Amino acid sequence: MTQLTAAATYRRNAILTASPSKLVKMLYEGAITNLERTRRELNDPASRRSAVAGEALGKAYGIIGELRAALDFEVGGDIARNLDALYEFSLDQLTTANTTREPTHVDHTLRVMRTLQEGWDAVLIG
């Protein structure tokens, strides 16, 4: 087994055995990682239109979409509705970033995701 295969197997097992709260944490981490990669690529004129920028942006968009789709409005009430609005804002910002290739829109989404991650971490610890 190669190192790459071993790492992929480890990640797959970590996801399959994670609790729902840990999965949300992992999704926030994945979104932030891909948003940071997108921002780096968009800040560099040489890579602004690269496949790497588009792929990272697409991954972040997909992760945020999954977080939004997992909301339970009956159980979550106002919190779920507020999260839905934040996710919608973030997805709109990423759509604009994709068409304009301006990193400012990614920065807005990064701020939202980092704030939500901090809040989620506080819930898990507290």
Side-chain angles (χ1 to χ4, degrees):
M1 183 181 311
T2 67
Q3 277 187 312
L4 195 55
T5 305
T9 301
Y10 175 80
R11 278 192 308 276
R12 182 175 178 273
N13 288 336
I15 291 167
L16 292 174
T17 60
S19 67
S21 57
K22 177 67 174 168
L23 284 173
V24 172
K25 180 177 175 57
M26 292 168 78
L27 288 169
Y28 281 133
E29 290 169 354
I32 290 167
T33 297
N34 282 289
L35 289 167
E36 288 170 343
R37 183 175 300 132
T38 301
R39 185 178 58 185
R40 273 193 312 275
E41 295 297 316
L42 294 182
N43 275 321
D44 182 353
S47 62
R48 184 167 283 143
R49 300 219 174 262
S50 72
V52 173
E55 181 180 305
L57 193 145
K59 286 180 180 179
Y61 192 95
I63 291 168
I64 296 168
E66 286 299 319
L67 286 163
R68 187 177 188 200
L71 293 173
D72 185 334
F73 295 99
E74 286 184 31
V75 174
D78 286 341
I79 293 172
R81 282 186 284 284
N82 291 336
L83 285 170
D84 185 58
L86 290 169
Y87 294 149
E88 180 179 10
F89 168 80
S90 296
L91 293 171
D92 287 346
Q93 288 296 301
L94 293 183
T95 298
T96 303
N98 190 40
T99 56
T100 65
R101 293 303 191 180
E102 290 296 325
T104 306
H105 303 287
V106 176
D107 290 336
H108 296 163
T109 303
L110 255 172
R111 273 195 292 280
V112 170
M113 290 296 112
R114 285 184 177 140
T115 301
L116 291 174
Q117 181 188 37
E118 288 171 12
W120 190 253
D121 288 346
V123 167
L124 291 179
I125 293 169

